[in-house]
Amino acid sequence: MALIGNKEYYKGIGEIKYEGKDSDNPLAFKYYDSERVVAGKTMREHLKFAVAYWHTFCGVGADPFGPGTQNFPWDQPTDAMDAAKEKADAAFEFITKMGFDYFCFHDFDLIREGTTLGESEKRLSAIVDFIAEKKAASGVKLLWGTANCFSNPRYMNGAATNPDFNVLARAGGQIKLAMDATIALEGENYVFWGGREGYMSLLNTDMKRELDHMGRFLGLARDYARSQGFKGTFFIEPKPMEPMKHQYDFDAATVIGFLHQYGLQDDFKLNLEVNHATLASHTMQHEMAVAAAHGMLGSVDANRGDYQNGWDTDQFPNNINEVTEAMLIFLKAGGLRGGGINFDAKIRRNSTDMDDVFHAHIGGADIFARALLIADRIITSSAYDELIAKRYSSFDSGKGKDFEQGKLSLSALYDIALENGELSLQSGKQELFENIINQYI
Ligand code: XUL
Ligand code: CO
């Protein structure tokens, strides 16, 4: 295939193609057949796979106990612009070889941060021009951009919720530039992940004031992007903790309440991440159902946690039962509102070959494609929908329908209860539902 840059970084690996589940080729899709139509849309249109710039091209496998193990040629140049260009060349080579349509970035994934805001602005605008050309040449699109307002030590007490106004203003300046970059690259959405928006100790924290600041700050960011012609959706990405002891964007339900409290509900939706859901003691399915119930199922950061570890391990997804249940909610909600499936996942520290990120993304794409097919068959061929409808059928007519239509008072419920006498038990049939999932897998 034609190379977009001058060098080939992922040597010996060609375009990844669909070969079907009987293929023994590890560098082929077994289920992700991009042009196959499922439930009225191609897999490509449903899933909108995105590569996360930070994990795949910036993360080198460092952990709290040791340095990185993955040495990327694009990290060698000492000049920031040279390194950023090489990284972009590698990124676009990888994304096009995968056959994916999208990527996502933080501002300083694209290029190293400058020593001043002004210097960072110059760097960002130069790399954005370079990437805009690569985008145009390859057809790869930007699913969302975001600002890293959590790594630099200045944000140790938060960005929009920092007790020091000058840090908040600095975050505002940085987010303006990240939004400019997202708009210049025709980003379809813009994400806020409040990594340090929360507290380490309540003893030194005025929670109400910090929440008010965050609400006002997000409103200013929205107004700025809209004034620059941005038509996309803003997403908040919930996470309950890590790095802070407690983060304000705890989970989907908390964020939805916050958005309504501060008048942001019409412009913002949710970007839900699997490992964030499990850190909040929820399943991903729970988080997706909460968001869908409020019309706010915006986008997905796909990964998985570890059942034995209580931290954000960001592994690639591979559990077919879980992803099938998630895709059932996805299909029933009519898909995502503006977003896609972004692999916010990293290969393990001891995965050190250049082909390992290919295996990781192939596996991720295949599990979602397979789950999409299964979920569609469950909806179209099994008794699943009928069984749920049956559980609620007492609300379809008579007094149940009157209740749903707001026609009954509490006293009316009392009269009905008196007249009914004792009730027979209605089984929830959970095991039968579980068997249907298993049968279609
Ligand atoms: C952190 C996380 C971030 C966001 C973007 O846990 O998920 O990478 O997705 O800032
Ligand atoms: Co994420």
Side-chain angles (χ1 to χ4, degrees), residues 237 273 276 301 344:
E237 183 176 324
E273 179 163 327
H276 298 181
D301 269 8
D344 192 353

Coordinates of all heavy atoms in Angstrom, one line a residue, residues 237 273 276 301 344, ligand 2:
E237 N -16.4 12.8 30.3 CA -16.1 11.4 30.5 C -16.0 11.1 32.0 O -15.1 11.5 32.6 CB -14.7 11.1 29.8 CG -14.3 9.7 29.9 CD -12.9 9.4 29.1 OE1 -12.7 10.1 28.1 OE2 -12.2 8.6 29.6
E273 N -16.4 5.1 29.6 CA -15.3 4.2 29.4 C -15.5 3.0 30.3 O -15.9 3.1 31.5 CB -14.0 4.9 29.8 CG -12.8 4.0 29.8 CD -11.5 4.8 29.8 OE1 -11.4 5.9 29.2 OE2 -10.5 4.3 30.3
H276 N -13.7 2.8 33.6 CA -14.2 3.8 34.6 C -15.5 3.4 35.2 O -15.7 3.6 36.4 CB -14.4 5.2 33.9 CG -13.1 5.8 33.3 ND1 -13.1 7.0 32.6 CD2 -11.8 5.3 33.3 CE1 -11.9 7.2 32.2 NE2 -11.1 6.2 32.6
D301 N -15.3 4.9 25.2 CA -13.9 4.6 25.3 C -13.8 3.1 25.7 O -14.1 2.7 26.8 CB -13.2 5.4 26.4 CG -12.6 6.7 25.8 OD1 -12.9 7.0 24.7 OD2 -11.9 7.4 26.6
D344 N -9.4 3.3 24.0 CA -8.6 4.0 25.0 C -8.0 2.8 25.9 O -8.4 2.6 27.0 CB -9.5 4.9 25.9 CG -8.7 5.8 26.8 OD1 -7.5 5.6 26.8 OD2 -9.3 6.6 27.5
Ligands
CO2 CO -10.8 7.5 28.4

